[in-house]
Amino acid sequence: MRFVKTGDSAIRVINDVLSAVECQALIAEAEAEGFLRPEAFDASARSCKRLHTVDPSLSDVIMGRIQPSLPGIMVIDGARWRLSRFTHHWRYVKYSRGGHFIPHFDGSKLLKGHEMTVFTFQIYLNDDFIGGQTQFYTDFHTERLPSHSIDYGHVTTYTPGNPPTHSVNPKTGSALVFDHASRCVLHSAADVEEGFKYILRGDIMYTAVEEDIRILRNPALKEQGRSWCEETAEKYGTRTYTGQVWWCECAADRHGADCCIDDLGRKSQCSTASSHGSSAEGINLLLMSGKRACGKDFVASILVEELEAAGVSVHRVALGSVNKRAYAERMGIDAQRLMNDRAFKEEHRIAMVQHHTDRNAEDPSWCLKAVFDESVLSGKKVMLLTDLRTQEDLKWLLHSAADVRGSVHLLRVDASDEARSARGWDKHPVKDSLSTETDFDSFTAWTAIFDNSDQSTGGEAFAREWVRNTVMMRLPAALALGWNGSLG
């Protein structure tokens, strides 16, 4: 997962949500059903064909794959909103040569019960065409107005004074996810120059935290500055950032809410907690993975601060520290320098990995036993391992956590090559191909994923937001000690 604009989580790309085979199968099924031109839209504004489906099973599959890359909590209009579900309404869109969508704002679908969609979600089902980029104008600002009705299909013409600030190139199976609520960005679909472009479009819904509904009922913001509108929600309408309101066919089943009612009339929601293990009675393992110089230690320090501020005791450990101490003793070098001097550590990295491999040949779990036993003996609620490296290590830790009735939560920290280089990463064909660097490249079962590419002064606040609003909302140990997502 990466953020399109560094330091801004409003637009993100999630790679490999669907395989190429899955994408081709969906295209074939959609073609068999047939596409129709959306008659309500003027072709000069939006030139494409669509197929509208309602598919809760597809929602379940995709949510299971993208949930680690989504925020667990969003703060909108001063209230907290918790990740809930897709609307289950999926639109297959086909653009042929000349197909496009002029700059526009997407709308947020509002429901009774204080639910609304926050993110547009679209998967590129193919990339064997020319053109068709999704373009964003993050420097474009326009007046926000109180809620006012427009006809369904009306597209207001906006004329950005500057070219797009960001452009996303379609890649088969990748998903583009962007905010269409409080941080809505003007965007467009560039002309397809040759071939056919297929996308799958959905909406991701959040539900207001019960304690904060009073904030929405007694808003401090003026109406034109708000995303939530009670009157629109009463009629299951769609509302844009600029206050435009319309009603579409999705409202007929309350934007998929009827799909979430079982035979006994009970409402269901998708699970937003991804973890391994069913009990939080024992020690809870937070296992952090990431490549060299991605900033794991930086993020880990913030995580420790936030957990301890919420009353959760943390024992922080690293497999590398155990190996470094053993390697330094064997080589007769300064262990502290090996810990703290990046250049000195890089000189010894390959030899240290070999040392670890050799020790593993004698006892595959020697290092894991050391950090796990130390953490259990500490008596603290959480063990934070900052350098999970291989899936074999993960298997051992999952087994050990089960033995002590613990749970395991997997955190992935990514960063761009530019950010890693600025932090001292040296591109090295041997180091970068080690299993300790590559073993999790195709792994997907994360609890949460963070793009730590921000090198600005706002990077800490950005990381802290992710820890508070995503990681901590998915930790049963933290919840048991009273953490409720408060930003105070």
Side-chain angles (χ1 to χ4, degrees):
M1 188 270 289
R2 66 176 178 87
F3 297 120
V4 171
K5 181 180 179 182
T6 301
D8 186 340
S9 60
I11 311 168
R12 66 193 72 199
V13 173
I14 309 171
N15 288 324
D16 303 318
V17 175
L18 295 177
S19 69
V21 172
E22 289 172 322
C23 288
Q24 283 301 312
L26 289 173
I27 290 173
E29 289 177 12
E31 285 286 8
E33 287 289 331
F35 289 87
L36 296 173
R37 195 181 78 79
E39 298 293 340
F41 292 86
D42 190 313
S44 65
R46 184 182 192 183
S47 177
C48 66
K49 292 184 177 181
R50 294 198 308 171
L51 169 66
H52 186 160
T53 67
V54 181
D55 194 341
S57 61
L58 180 62
S59 298
D60 291 343
V61 170
I62 293 181
M63 181 59 77
R65 297 181 185 183
I66 70 168
Q67 176 260 334
S69 298
L70 298 177
I73 287 284
M74 294 290 294
V75 179
I76 302 170
D77 296 351
R80 292 165 297 164
W81 300 73
R82 194 184 306 275
L83 177 62
S84 175
R85 60 179 175 87
F86 279 108
T87 63
H88 308 311
H89 286 259
W90 293 97
R91 281 85 74 199
Y92 294 81
V93 186
K94 178 182 181 180
Y95 294 89
S96 56
R97 185 174 181 178
H100 67 278
F101 201 161
I102 65 172
H104 62 283
F105 291 104
D106 285 357
S108 181
K109 303 179 188 304
L110 311 184
L111 286 75
K112 293 179 182 179
H114 299 91
E115 293 181 278
M116 71 174 175
T117 63
V118 173
F119 289 106
T120 292
F121 175 85
Q122 69 175 45
I123 295 182
Y124 298 106
L125 296 179
N126 70 319
D127 56 20
D128 56 343
F129 54 89
I130 299 174
Q133 300 88 348
T134 305
Q135 301 171 322
F136 292 91
Y137 305 82
T138 59
D139 59 356
F140 180 82
H141 304 284
T142 190
E143 183 180 12
R144 299 184 70 179
L145 300 172
S147 296
H148 57 285
S149 297
I150 63 170
D151 291 334
Y152 174 67
H154 172 77
V155 180
T156 299
T157 300
Y158 297 99
T159 308
N162 298 315
T165 55
H166 301 82
S167 182
V168 176
N169 293 316
K171 179 183 176 184
T172 300
S174 70
L176 176 62
V177 184
F178 54 94
D179 197 315
H180 59 219
S182 60
R183 303 177 298 169
C184 194
V185 179
L186 189 74
H187 62 283
S188 62
D191 284 13
V192 172
E193 300 171 23
E194 185 177 323
F196 296 96
K197 170 187 172 183
Y198 294 89
I199 65 170
L200 177 61
R201 165 79 163 79
D203 299 273
I204 300 172
M205 185 163 288
Y206 282 66
T207 303
V209 173
E210 187 173 355
E211 308 93 272
D212 289 1
I213 291 176
R214 57 181 176 79
I215 298 173
L216 301 173
R217 289 175 174 164
N218 300 282
L221 295 171
K222 294 181 179 179
E223 182 183 354
Q224 58 265 38
R226 301 197 298 263
S227 296
W228 176 254
C229 173
E230 292 278 358
E231 183 179 351
T232 302
E234 283 293 317
K235 300 177 181 179
Y236 301 98
T238 302
R239 184 183 188 277
T240 70
Y241 178 80
T242 59
Q244 295 178 334
V245 175
W246 68 87
W247 286 265
C248 64
E249 55 189 316
C250 304
D253 70 350
R254 300 181 299 158
H255 301 297
D258 290 351
C259 300
C260 302
I261 306 298
D262 66 16
D263 293 339
L264 298 178
R266 297 172 299 192
K267 185 176 180 181
S268 63
Q269 290 186 337
C270 69
S271 171
T272 59
S274 176
S275 64
H276 301 264
S278 58
S279 173
E281 295 177 14
I283 191 168
N284 293 270
L285 276 60
L286 286 184
L287 309 180
M288 184 176 290
S289 170
K291 293 184 180 295
R292 292 188 297 134
C294 68
K296 297 187 296 294
D297 287 337
F298 167 76
V299 176
S301 295
I302 293 173
L303 180 55
V304 171
E305 288 177 12
E306 293 295 332
L307 284 169
E308 291 184 341
V312 182
S313 57
V314 182
H315 185 68
R316 178 175 175 175
V317 292
L319 295 171
S321 296
V322 176
N323 187 51
K324 287 185 183 80
R325 287 194 295 267
Y327 173 80
E329 182 178 352
R330 178 182 175 184
M331 300 299 294
I333 60 176
D334 186 347
Q336 283 303 311
R337 185 182 177 193
L338 202 57
M339 301 277 191
N340 302 319
D341 185 331
R342 174 175 287 278
F344 186 65
K345 178 175 66 176
E346 291 302 326
E347 289 176 16
H348 290 269
R349 178 175 292 277
I350 295 174
M352 282 194 296
V353 171
Q354 187 59 51
H355 174 266
H356 192 272
T357 301
D358 292 344
R359 287 292 304 269
N360 280 356
E362 301 170 9
D363 178 1
S365 58
W366 72 279
C367 212
L368 294 162
K369 287 176 182 175
V371 296
F372 188 80
D373 291 347
E374 178 185 319
S375 298
V376 171
L377 289 172
S378 74
K380 296 188 176 180
K381 199 71 176 174
V382 168
M383 169 186 132
L384 173 59
L385 177 69
T386 60
D387 59 350
L388 179 66
R389 295 172 174 176
T390 69
Q391 295 191 45
E392 282 300 314
D393 287 352
L394 174 58
K395 290 177 183 177
W396 190 93
L397 290 164
L398 286 170
H399 178 77
S400 297
D403 286 345
V404 296
R405 296 180 60 79
S407 62
V408 178
H409 311 271
L410 307 176
L411 309 179
R412 178 69 174 184
V413 178
D414 290 327
S416 66
D417 286 353
E418 292 78 10
R420 294 170 65 204
S421 294
R423 295 171 185 146
W425 172 59
D426 60 320
K427 193 171 184 177
H428 192 287
V430 176
K431 295 177 185 177
D432 294 332
S433 62
L434 294 170
S435 62
T436 54
E437 287 291 301
T438 63
D439 204 34
F440 282 106
D441 283 357
S442 58
F443 187 81
T444 59
W446 303 107
T447 303
I449 303 171
F450 181 60
D451 178 3
N452 189 37
S453 299
D454 190 358
Q455 290 287 98
S456 72
T457 55
E460 179 179 343
F462 196 48
R464 201 172 294 276
E465 173 189 302
W466 175 72
V467 166
R468 290 179 172 181
N469 291 353
T470 300
V471 177
M472 295 183 69
M473 298 309 300
R474 295 174 182 164
L475 303 183
L479 292 171
L481 289 173
W483 173 259
N484 63 1
S486 171
L487 301 180

